[in-house]
Amino acid sequence: MSYSLPNGASTVNGNKGRTPYGLSSPLDSVGSDLADQASTSGQVENGYEQNSYPSSHNEDIVNHLYHSGFQMGNYADTILHVHGRQYRLHAILLSRSPYLAHLMSTSPTNASTRNIYVPIEDEVELTEEGFAVALGYLYSSVSLTLLRPSNARAVLAAACFLGGLHDLCVQAYERCRDSISVETINEWLRFVETIPPPPEEGGPTDVPTSVFGPYAARLRADVFHFLVITLPQTLHAFPASEGTNTSNGHPSGLDSLLHIYAQVPFDIFKHAVEAPEFPIGSDQARFQFAKAAVSLRKAGVGRGAEETVVLAFGGTTSSGSAVHVTRKVKKRPLWKVTK
């Protein structure tokens, strides 16, 4: 994949004239007159006015590093291999990442150029685009202008994987959180289902971990909060008055909520329906909603299991709700073979 730079120059990092993936260069928005913005006001010393330090100087250096170093790959001393691509980069800047610093320190250097290989084939969340944005951030924060809702999760995964990129992690995480919506909730639910559960207290410690590190739990909590609180309110799914029977005359908002809950993995569905903060009103309304959702689930995620809803009169479950949802996997019938 190649891209053409405004000046027609070529580059070995696959960025010829544009940044990766057809996005315009973030440097296009940086004014060309930064070097002329040095302040001329300052303190008077020995009768002469002393110019203050030109704040644009550091910006010029960082912009040069990003354009000439990362985008063009000039004077590179390290070739990084990832996703079938080669990046001509610079060890001093790659060392900002603890992971890459370790990789470089343990890789042979038989020539003037070091080759390092990043094995990420098993990490499906680490995409080529997300990794490129994170690599660019090692050179300059101007890489943040390439952050989009569509790539934020991949950028977060890459930033967590590389380490040492706290600010990028925060920016990408916030973009992920803000992208959870009625249109994307099903996709986020599928993602949450792939996150390994946190290790239990006192349990084994050698359990699989997520590439997202601490942000995995945050995203799980954000998705759950949206599903339980924000989504019903956004859809206006429940009437203001309590005790309304939800099994008849579903408004469109309630229908939409039921069809979304019909696709939710069981553990999340159970905790959502039983959650005290679920804004449905009475226990009877909660019971009717859960029954309607379970009925829809039978044709989809509930196949192969028996999901039931129980209303505990005069008491509540451990979750604080009088409604309790259970699931029992159906046993396959045994066939008796006779001679």
Side-chain angles (χ1 to χ4, degrees), residues 69-86:
F70 178 65
Q71 290 185 298
M72 301 291 292
N74 292 336
Y75 309 108
D77 58 10
T78 304
I79 300 179
L80 185 147
H81 302 258
V82 63
H83 273 304
R85 290 190 59 181
Q86 296 182 13

PDB file of all heavy atoms in Angstrom, residues 69-86:
ATOM      1  N   GLY A  69      10.697  11.243  10.413  1.00  0.00           N
ATOM      2  CA  GLY A  69      11.059   9.995  11.081  1.00  0.00           C
ATOM      3  C   GLY A  69      10.039   8.901  10.922  1.00  0.00           C
ATOM      4  O   GLY A  69      10.344   7.822  10.407  1.00  0.00           O
ATOM      5  N   PHE A  70       8.786   9.166  11.340  1.00  0.00           N
ATOM      6  CA  PHE A  70       7.778   8.105  11.310  1.00  0.00           C
ATOM      7  C   PHE A  70       7.172   7.923   9.926  1.00  0.00           C
ATOM      8  O   PHE A  70       7.113   6.808   9.406  1.00  0.00           O
ATOM      9  CB  PHE A  70       6.671   8.407  12.321  1.00  0.00           C
ATOM     10  CG  PHE A  70       5.567   7.379  12.299  1.00  0.00           C
ATOM     11  CD1 PHE A  70       5.819   6.065  12.676  1.00  0.00           C
ATOM     12  CD2 PHE A  70       4.286   7.712  11.881  1.00  0.00           C
ATOM     13  CE1 PHE A  70       4.810   5.109  12.645  1.00  0.00           C
ATOM     14  CE2 PHE A  70       3.278   6.766  11.850  1.00  0.00           C
ATOM     15  CZ  PHE A  70       3.537   5.467  12.231  1.00  0.00           C
ATOM     16  N   GLN A  71       6.705   9.016   9.301  1.00  0.00           N
ATOM     17  CA  GLN A  71       6.031   8.872   8.016  1.00  0.00           C
ATOM     18  C   GLN A  71       6.999   8.517   6.884  1.00  0.00           C
ATOM     19  O   GLN A  71       6.664   7.716   6.014  1.00  0.00           O
ATOM     20  CB  GLN A  71       5.278  10.155   7.672  1.00  0.00           C
ATOM     21  CG  GLN A  71       4.066  10.408   8.560  1.00  0.00           C
ATOM     22  CD  GLN A  71       3.277  11.612   8.102  1.00  0.00           C
ATOM     23  OE1 GLN A  71       3.779  12.733   8.079  1.00  0.00           O
ATOM     24  NE2 GLN A  71       2.038  11.382   7.723  1.00  0.00           N
ATOM     25  N   MET A  72       8.184   9.120   6.894  1.00  0.00           N
ATOM     26  CA  MET A  72       9.137   8.897   5.809  1.00  0.00           C
ATOM     27  C   MET A  72      10.143   7.791   6.109  1.00  0.00           C
ATOM     28  O   MET A  72      10.701   7.190   5.196  1.00  0.00           O
ATOM     29  CB  MET A  72       9.901  10.198   5.505  1.00  0.00           C
ATOM     30  CG  MET A  72       9.012  11.363   5.092  1.00  0.00           C
ATOM     31  SD  MET A  72       8.268  11.107   3.482  1.00  0.00           S
ATOM     32  CE  MET A  72       9.710  11.189   2.433  1.00  0.00           C
ATOM     33  N   GLY A  73      10.420   7.542   7.402  1.00  0.00           N
ATOM     34  CA  GLY A  73      11.384   6.505   7.765  1.00  0.00           C
ATOM     35  C   GLY A  73      12.821   6.887   7.490  1.00  0.00           C
ATOM     36  O   GLY A  73      13.681   6.007   7.305  1.00  0.00           O
ATOM     37  N   ASN A  74      13.128   8.189   7.456  1.00  0.00           N
ATOM     38  CA  ASN A  74      14.497   8.635   7.161  1.00  0.00           C
ATOM     39  C   ASN A  74      15.443   8.311   8.319  1.00  0.00           C
ATOM     40  O   ASN A  74      15.076   8.429   9.489  1.00  0.00           O
ATOM     41  CB  ASN A  74      14.514  10.145   6.903  1.00  0.00           C
ATOM     42  CG  ASN A  74      13.792  10.507   5.624  1.00  0.00           C
ATOM     43  OD1 ASN A  74      13.667   9.689   4.719  1.00  0.00           O
ATOM     44  ND2 ASN A  74      13.309  11.748   5.540  1.00  0.00           N
ATOM     45  N   TYR A  75      16.659   7.919   7.988  1.00  0.00           N
ATOM     46  CA  TYR A  75      17.735   7.664   8.965  1.00  0.00           C
ATOM     47  C   TYR A  75      17.318   6.628  10.008  1.00  0.00           C
ATOM     48  O   TYR A  75      17.725   6.699  11.171  1.00  0.00           O
ATOM     49  CB  TYR A  75      18.169   8.962   9.653  1.00  0.00           C
ATOM     50  CG  TYR A  75      18.485  10.063   8.685  1.00  0.00           C
ATOM     51  CD1 TYR A  75      17.621  11.155   8.545  1.00  0.00           C
ATOM     52  CD2 TYR A  75      19.623  10.015   7.883  1.00  0.00           C
ATOM     53  CE1 TYR A  75      17.889  12.170   7.635  1.00  0.00           C
ATOM     54  CE2 TYR A  75      19.914  11.024   6.969  1.00  0.00           C
ATOM     55  CZ  TYR A  75      19.041  12.094   6.854  1.00  0.00           C
ATOM     56  OH  TYR A  75      19.307  13.091   5.956  1.00  0.00           O
ATOM     57  N   ALA A  76      16.525   5.657   9.599  1.00  0.00           N
ATOM     58  CA  ALA A  76      16.047   4.643  10.541  1.00  0.00           C
ATOM     59  C   ALA A  76      17.175   3.691  10.922  1.00  0.00           C
ATOM     60  O   ALA A  76      18.068   3.405  10.136  1.00  0.00           O
ATOM     61  CB  ALA A  76      14.893   3.864   9.920  1.00  0.00           C
ATOM     62  N   ASP A  77      17.111   3.199  12.163  1.00  0.00           N
ATOM     63  CA  ASP A  77      18.088   2.201  12.623  1.00  0.00           C
ATOM     64  C   ASP A  77      17.404   0.903  13.049  1.00  0.00           C
ATOM     65  O   ASP A  77      18.056  -0.036  13.476  1.00  0.00           O
ATOM     66  CB  ASP A  77      18.920   2.760  13.787  1.00  0.00           C
ATOM     67  CG  ASP A  77      18.058   3.199  14.975  1.00  0.00           C
ATOM     68  OD1 ASP A  77      16.847   2.897  14.987  1.00  0.00           O
ATOM     69  OD2 ASP A  77      18.599   3.861  15.872  1.00  0.00           O
ATOM     70  N   THR A  78      16.074   0.864  12.953  1.00  0.00           N
ATOM     71  CA  THR A  78      15.323  -0.315  13.383  1.00  0.00           C
ATOM     72  C   THR A  78      14.194  -0.589  12.392  1.00  0.00           C
ATOM     73  O   THR A  78      13.451   0.331  12.034  1.00  0.00           O
ATOM     74  CB  THR A  78      14.717  -0.111  14.789  1.00  0.00           C
ATOM     75  OG1 THR A  78      15.755   0.212  15.710  1.00  0.00           O
ATOM     76  CG2 THR A  78      13.976  -1.362  15.254  1.00  0.00           C
ATOM     77  N   ILE A  79      14.091  -1.841  11.960  1.00  0.00           N
ATOM     78  CA  ILE A  79      12.978  -2.244  11.099  1.00  0.00           C
ATOM     79  C   ILE A  79      12.034  -3.098  11.929  1.00  0.00           C
ATOM     80  O   ILE A  79      12.417  -4.149  12.444  1.00  0.00           O
ATOM     81  CB  ILE A  79      13.460  -3.034   9.869  1.00  0.00           C
ATOM     82  CG1 ILE A  79      14.414  -2.175   9.026  1.00  0.00           C
ATOM     83  CG2 ILE A  79      12.273  -3.482   9.023  1.00  0.00           C
ATOM     84  CD1 ILE A  79      14.960  -2.885   7.809  1.00  0.00           C
ATOM     85  N   LEU A  80      10.804  -2.610  12.087  1.00  0.00           N
ATOM     86  CA  LEU A  80       9.803  -3.313  12.884  1.00  0.00           C
ATOM     87  C   LEU A  80       8.856  -4.049  11.945  1.00  0.00           C
ATOM     88  O   LEU A  80       8.273  -3.448  11.036  1.00  0.00           O
ATOM     89  CB  LEU A  80       9.040  -2.309  13.757  1.00  0.00           C
ATOM     90  CG  LEU A  80       8.027  -2.871  14.763  1.00  0.00           C
ATOM     91  CD1 LEU A  80       7.977  -2.006  16.010  1.00  0.00           C
ATOM     92  CD2 LEU A  80       6.628  -2.968  14.147  1.00  0.00           C
ATOM     93  N   HIS A  81       8.710  -5.347  12.164  1.00  0.00           N
ATOM     94  CA  HIS A  81       7.853  -6.196  11.332  1.00  0.00           C
ATOM     95  C   HIS A  81       6.588  -6.532  12.116  1.00  0.00           C
ATOM     96  O   HIS A  81       6.650  -7.106  13.203  1.00  0.00           O
ATOM     97  CB  HIS A  81       8.573  -7.497  10.962  1.00  0.00           C
ATOM     98  CG  HIS A  81       9.865  -7.283  10.241  1.00  0.00           C
ATOM     99  ND1 HIS A  81       9.993  -7.442   8.877  1.00  0.00           N
ATOM    100  CD2 HIS A  81      11.112  -6.934  10.693  1.00  0.00           C
ATOM    101  CE1 HIS A  81      11.242  -7.204   8.515  1.00  0.00           C
ATOM    102  NE2 HIS A  81      11.942  -6.892   9.601  1.00  0.00           N
ATOM    103  N   VAL A  82       5.423  -6.168  11.561  1.00  0.00           N
ATOM    104  CA  VAL A  82       4.160  -6.452  12.211  1.00  0.00           C
ATOM    105  C   VAL A  82       3.053  -6.448  11.158  1.00  0.00           C
ATOM    106  O   VAL A  82       3.070  -5.641  10.234  1.00  0.00           O
ATOM    107  CB  VAL A  82       3.854  -5.428  13.332  1.00  0.00           C
ATOM    108  CG1 VAL A  82       3.699  -4.029  12.765  1.00  0.00           C
ATOM    109  CG2 VAL A  82       2.616  -5.822  14.135  1.00  0.00           C
ATOM    110  N   HIS A  83       2.113  -7.368  11.285  1.00  0.00           N
ATOM    111  CA  HIS A  83       0.977  -7.453  10.363  1.00  0.00           C
ATOM    112  C   HIS A  83       1.431  -7.573   8.901  1.00  0.00           C
ATOM    113  O   HIS A  83       0.767  -7.066   8.001  1.00  0.00           O
ATOM    114  CB  HIS A  83       0.079  -6.225  10.512  1.00  0.00           C
ATOM    115  CG  HIS A  83      -0.963  -6.361  11.590  1.00  0.00           C
ATOM    116  ND1 HIS A  83      -1.869  -7.396  11.627  1.00  0.00           N
ATOM    117  CD2 HIS A  83      -1.229  -5.586  12.673  1.00  0.00           C
ATOM    118  CE1 HIS A  83      -2.654  -7.243  12.686  1.00  0.00           C
ATOM    119  NE2 HIS A  83      -2.290  -6.172  13.339  1.00  0.00           N
ATOM    120  N   GLY A  84       2.570  -8.202   8.679  1.00  0.00           N
ATOM    121  CA  GLY A  84       3.059  -8.347   7.314  1.00  0.00           C
ATOM    122  C   GLY A  84       3.643  -7.072   6.733  1.00  0.00           C
ATOM    123  O   GLY A  84       3.985  -7.031   5.542  1.00  0.00           O
ATOM    124  N   ARG A  85       3.766  -6.032   7.532  1.00  0.00           N
ATOM    125  CA  ARG A  85       4.340  -4.762   7.076  1.00  0.00           C
ATOM    126  C   ARG A  85       5.684  -4.512   7.729  1.00  0.00           C
ATOM    127  O   ARG A  85       6.004  -5.098   8.772  1.00  0.00           O
ATOM    128  CB  ARG A  85       3.401  -3.596   7.416  1.00  0.00           C
ATOM    129  CG  ARG A  85       2.130  -3.558   6.613  1.00  0.00           C
ATOM    130  CD  ARG A  85       1.402  -2.251   6.848  1.00  0.00           C
ATOM    131  NE  ARG A  85       2.214  -1.098   6.478  1.00  0.00           N
ATOM    132  CZ  ARG A  85       1.815   0.167   6.614  1.00  0.00           C
ATOM    133  NH1 ARG A  85       0.637   0.434   7.133  1.00  0.00           N
ATOM    134  NH2 ARG A  85       2.594   1.164   6.238  1.00  0.00           N
ATOM    135  N   GLN A  86       6.447  -3.643   7.126  1.00  0.00           N
ATOM    136  CA  GLN A  86       7.730  -3.230   7.677  1.00  0.00           C
ATOM    137  C   GLN A  86       7.700  -1.723   7.921  1.00  0.00           C
ATOM    138  O   GLN A  86       7.317  -0.950   7.057  1.00  0.00           O
ATOM    139  CB  GLN A  86       8.877  -3.558   6.720  1.00  0.00           C
ATOM    140  CG  GLN A  86       9.089  -5.038   6.474  1.00  0.00           C
ATOM    141  CD  GLN A  86      10.268  -5.296   5.551  1.00  0.00           C
ATOM    142  OE1 GLN A  86      11.067  -4.403   5.281  1.00  0.00           O
ATOM    143  NE2 GLN A  86      10.374  -6.517   5.065  1.00  0.00           N
TER     144      GLN A  86
END
